[in-house]
Amino acid sequence: MRKRMGKSKRFTRESNHNQVNTNLIKNDAQPIPISSNLSDNLQRVKETFSQSDDFVILDWRYGPEMEHTAFSIYFDTLIQHKEVNYMKESLQDLVTNEVGPGTMITPEDVMSFFEKNGVSAQSHRLLKDFEKIIEKVVSGHLVIFFNKWDKAISYKALGVERRQVTEPVSEHVVKGPREGTIENLEKNLGMIRGRLPSPRFIIKTFSLKGETNTKVAYGYLDGIVNPDVLAEFKRRIGKLNEGEILETSYIEELIEDSTYSPFPQHRYTERPDTAVAALLDGKIVVLVDGTGSILICPGLFVELLQSSEDYYQRTAYSSFVRCMRIVAFGIALILPSLYIALSVFHPELIPTVLLLTILNTREGIPFPVFIEAFLMLFAFELLREAGVRLPRPVGAAVSIVGALVIGEAAIQAAIASPIMVIVVALTGISSFALPQYNFAFALRILQLPLMLFSALLGGFGLMIALILLWLHLLNLRSLGQPYLTPVGPFRPEQWRDVIIRAPLKNLLRTPRKRHSRI
């Protein structure tokens, strides 16, 4: 195919094209067919895209006397430039092989070839309306229009840089796989599919209508997933027809049962092996293009205290670590409140020597115990948030040095007692021991109301607060499933993997309950 590239034209804002052709991009509008007149197609393209400085229209010609015209459109910031020439060469090879070498290609040859054979290359698509053209162009495709042909050819040429597969940042392990998900949906699905090469692993993908056209995918293991849970999940996610979804956390909030509950009703992971383990347990995984977080639905309370490394270590050690996490959960939740209740309302429950020590350290403190605890926890939260927002090389140093300096200065200034500094530090360290980062948020939010109940009514108030919290957990659901399963409702057959992690020979050899299909 003899052809000559024309002049590359970049369009800036023009007075006659100040408004985007909204008829082309409304989701509810009728599809606009492609015209066989090349100038009409060019006019529609200009009306839609010409206000963007990175949009390119490339004119080129072909034929015996270069009399046949065509043009390509693409976003310069999205494609690989080497793909432009490669695309034209591949089209030349496709058509030349059909009509014979040395033959002058005409528009009729191009139309006949693609109408008869379709598009054989996976990265090519044959488009018939402008709605699909807009979708492909903004997704990193290069689209070619030929004169006298009412179709266009789309060629994938996406060249946006992506982060390479590395070790997960938020889920470090001593033993186990090191690969983590990235911001590429296809690669993430490929890593999961590679670890679960089963035909029963079903993946569904769809694109949300809106400005972002976000691609969302969810997967489940057919025959393992609970059909009632799957039906409820499909009902909820089916409502997400439109919306600007940029991260999996958006979907979490849109499909969760209780938005105002402090407890997360779904889990997150950046590890493909954790996602596969969840699928084998009957969970549903949700992935969004542009983010590396995988959403696992539904999420239960006991699962938030478990880690993927529990299954890579020996049974005794994994069970011991799980018990430590449960203790850490209790410390992070009630230690400040318990200290307030005992020191203010129930000093008789404190051993005499320890009580005298507490009284001596609190001598000269101008604030009540509740105000003292509130100020110290607030300072600790500020340091923790500052450590997260600061650049990584200095964030950890600032958090540690800031905690030491503020704690020592507060003691020297008689604003806080040493025992209060220990209580706050132990509370913060315990919250760090929880595997799920978003689960620790719930404890940080609940500390203040528990402290208020303890400051008002002592141990009785703390008991009332814990009973209310327990009732909330009993009523909480995740995709319609009880949040406290297998604690409430009580399911003894599942307790072998709750507090004590049973040996793998008991977990792996016991057939999982397979749910019948819907």
Side-chain angles (χ1 to χ4, degrees), residues 291-309:
T291 177
S293 299
I294 301 176
L295 186 67
I296 299 176
C297 314
L300 304 179
F301 180 85
V302 295
E303 296 170 348
L304 298 172
L305 296 171
Q306 300 173 0
S307 171
S308 61
E309 198 174 12

Side-chain angles (χ1 to χ4, degrees), residues 108-124:
E108 289 74 16
D109 295 330
V110 175
M111 288 185 287
S112 175
F113 174 79
F114 286 106
E115 293 285 1
K116 182 172 62 175
N117 299 314
V119 182
S120 59
Q122 183 180 3
S123 58
H124 294 71

Side-chain angles (χ1 to χ4, degrees), residues 342-392:
L342 291 177
S343 60
V344 176
F345 289 88
H346 313 288
E348 68 278 0
L349 298 178
I350 304 175
T352 304
V353 177
L354 179 59
L355 179 60
L356 293 176
T357 302
I358 294 175
L359 293 177
N360 289 334
T361 57
R362 280 199 48 79
E363 187 176 356
I365 303 298
F367 304 114
V369 179
F370 171 76
I371 301 298
E372 180 188 4
F374 174 78
L375 292 176
M376 293 304 297
L377 284 173
F378 183 74
F380 187 86
E381 292 297 329
L382 282 180
L383 286 172
R384 174 154 49 183
E385 198 66 20
V388 172
R389 306 304 168 198
L390 285 173
R392 187 173 299 176

